[in-house]
Amino acid sequence: MAHFNSSDGLSLHYTDQGDGLPVLCLAGLTRTTADFDYVTPFLENVRLIKMDYRGRGASDWDSNWQNYALPIECRDVLELLDHLALEKVAILGTSRGGLNAMGLAAGAKERLIGVALNDIGPVLEPKGLAFISGYLGRNPGAKNYADAAQAMQQSYSGFQDVPLSRWMEEAHKHFRQIDGRLEITYDPHLRDAIEALGAQAAPDLWPYFDALEGLPIACIRGENSDLLSHETLREMERRRPDMISVTVPGRGHIPFLDEPEAVAALQTWVNALS
């Protein structure tokens, strides 16, 4: 596994495969590079780079949980680009990854080629945030992957016609089996960071979305998403009529990205980058 050292001394994990235009995949809040396994076969003729944030996956945990913050994660991204000697990169950002992409557009736009947002926008719906808060930082009650897969199938009610085999794959991505029990693949103190953030007034994120002006962008929304509303997507489309936009039927937060609608949108976006 490839790693690089952040400026504050953490070893952060990344993968780097393929040749062509560089596309960096940034995962959701509690997720890892494994989230992009489904879409990888469909992103051809690109250099696909994936990174685990600090405190997630195969990256080091931070002894100071206050560093689990978007500005620090954006700094880590820029340091990865410097490590790889990449002047610019396109970003495929799932959920929190999209927030980081918008933050980079506001603060380091010269390093971006384009941005694709997976089920995220400038308005975060309270229902979706509450669902995330319910499991954040806690190990599952399930004792094995089969039970975890069934629990996920039941709790992710916005997903329709998803076979249990896919939820089994998800369970293996979300949890590690250690000493006969399942554990989350990230630092539980991530919950502290998010709770501290929630105690503050929510910032207006529209200027960060508007910072994407001039960059090829795409947005993929799950039809039943509880985090990105239909109304927010419509406003995003109004502000950026050129945005590649698609709603994936039978999906909540977040689409897996191997759905035909998602694949077509991403392939169109990649073609627009070159």
Side-chain angles (χ1 to χ4, degrees), residues 159-178:
F159 289 78
Q160 300 162 358
D161 300 322
V162 177
L164 187 59
S165 59
R166 172 53 61 93
W167 292 116
M168 181 65 82
E169 291 181 84
E170 285 291 284
H172 279 270
K173 294 179 189 302
H174 281 271
F175 309 116
R176 301 186 183 105
Q177 189 150 29
I178 301 175

Side-chain angles (χ1 to χ4, degrees), residues 53-201:
Y53 302 124
R54 57 180 60 210
R56 283 81 138 190
S59 289
D60 283 350
W61 292 6
D62 198 313
S63 59
N64 179 6
W65 56 260
Q66 292 177 324
N67 285 333
Y68 297 140
L70 293 171
I72 300 294
E73 291 170 7
C74 286
R75 186 186 73 191
D76 290 340
V77 168
L78 294 175
E79 290 178 359
L80 172 61
L81 299 189
D82 292 342
H83 172 75
L84 296 174
L86 284 171
E87 180 181 353
K88 294 187 175 186
V89 70
I91 294 180
L92 167 55
T94 286
S95 196
R96 186 177 179 92
L99 296 180
N100 275 314
M102 289 188 281
L104 288 164
K109 191 173 183 177
E110 71 279 1
R111 307 298 299 268
L112 299 183
I113 301 171
V115 168
L117 304 169
N118 182 20
D119 211 63
I120 192 68
V123 179
L124 310 182
E125 295 300 317
K127 183 178 179 181
L129 292 174
F131 181 77
I132 294 170
S133 178
Y135 65 76
L136 182 59
R138 295 171 174 150
N139 289 322
K143 302 300 182 184
N144 54 60
Y145 287 119
D147 289 347
Q150 290 184 336
M152 295 175 78
Q153 187 178 49
Q154 294 170 4
S155 62
Y156 285 81
S157 57
F159 289 78
Q160 300 162 358
D161 300 322
V162 177
L164 187 59
S165 59
R166 172 53 61 93
W167 292 116
M168 181 65 82
E169 291 181 84
E170 285 291 284
H172 279 270
K173 294 179 189 302
H174 281 271
F175 309 116
R176 301 186 183 105
Q177 189 150 29
I178 301 175
D179 297 330
R181 67 181 185 275
L182 296 184
E183 293 185 356
I184 53 179
T185 60
Y186 60 92
D187 185 350
H189 284 298
L190 184 59
R191 182 179 186 89
D192 298 318
I194 299 304
E195 286 183 341
L197 184 65
Q200 306 171 18

Side-chain angles (χ1 to χ4, degrees), residues 16-31:
D16 185 357
Q17 64 185 91
D19 297 300
L21 185 141
V23 175
L24 173 62
C25 297
L26 297 178
L29 175 65
T30 65
R31 300 180 180 237

Side-chain angles (χ1 to χ4, degrees), residues 241-263:
D242 61 329
M243 181 175 73
I244 300 162
S245 177
V246 67
T247 295
V248 182
R251 294 292 181 266
H253 182 78
I254 50 174
F256 299 116
L257 294 183
D258 61 349
E259 301 90 352
E261 299 84 358
V263 169

